[in-house]
Amino acid sequence: MDFSNVEHECVIDVMFTGPQRPSFGDVFLLCGEDNPNFPSTDPRWGSLDHLRFEQVDDYFAVLDEDTGEPVIWLYPLARGSVVHHHAGPFEGLRLHYDPEPDSSGLVAHFVDAVECLANLLPAQALWGQQREPLGPPIATDALAARVQRFVDTGEWRHRVS
């Protein structure tokens, strides 16, 4: 997924700033289980299984409880781009919030995911194409208000396909 031509997206990149970088097996622990083909090197990732990510296609997502549709996407980043079928290590993770199928109101969950992922390893969270720094520390109330404004204004309806 390439967001370079998209003007209206709720996208946050969590870029790891320290030497430790997660592998696919580490990120897979977000699903609450080990991947038998890609062992984890850092069990701390399993502590974030409360975020309810599931593997969807080649990526990860939190699904709307009513519709079963992906609302929060998580994409591994390597060499500045979203990658799939990649064992890692990853330089960052991209979180994308899609309010269109969201009947459950997952704004707070999205903000929690950003905060948890940014605090697991040394990292910097960056908003959108302009890569605006969100901290550290992340001001979660301000971020939640910003995401809610994004939803309320319908800005996401103006996506360029």
Side-chain angles (χ1 to χ4, degrees):
M1 176 168 283
D2 178 15
F3 290 103
S4 61
N5 295 320
V6 179
E7 295 179 19
H8 304 282
E9 296 286 345
C10 186
V11 176
I12 296 177
D13 289 349
V14 175
M15 303 302 294
F16 303 111
T17 58
Q20 190 173 7
R21 307 289 166 97
S23 68
F24 180 82
D26 297 326
V27 176
F28 195 87
L29 284 177
L30 295 173
C31 299
E33 57 190 82
D34 291 313
N35 184 302
N37 299 319
F38 298 93
S40 170
T41 59
D42 187 347
R44 291 180 295 171
W45 288 84
S47 70
L48 301 182
D49 63 351
H50 68 281
L51 295 174
R52 302 188 339 247
F53 280 98
E54 300 177 26
Q55 188 172 15
V56 177
D57 297 323
D58 292 326
Y59 304 110
F60 301 91
V62 175
L63 307 179
D64 180 277
E65 292 178 3
D66 295 331
T67 67
E69 293 295 318
V71 175
I72 301 170
W73 284 96
L74 184 146
Y75 306 100
L77 299 171
R79 297 177 304 282
S81 298
V82 170
V83 294
H84 63 282
H85 300 296
H86 194 292
F90 304 119
E91 65 187 10
L93 300 171
R94 177 167 290 163
L95 290 150
H96 173 246
Y97 178 70
D98 186 357
E100 189 167 11
D102 185 8
S103 66
S104 302
L106 292 173
V107 169
H109 192 85
F110 177 74
V111 171
D112 187 39
V114 171
E115 181 181 35
C116 288
L117 292 168
N119 288 334
L120 187 64
L121 298 175
Q124 182 173 28
L126 306 168
W127 174 277
Q129 286 183 326
Q130 304 304 320
R131 302 183 60 76
E132 177 188 333
L134 296 175
I138 295 173
T140 55
D141 290 343
L143 178 57
R146 185 176 192 172
V147 174
Q148 192 62 56
R149 268 193 317 274
F150 173 84
V151 172
D152 292 345
T153 62
E155 185 176 340
W156 53 274
R157 290 185 178 102
H158 304 289
R159 289 188 279 222
V160 178
S161 299

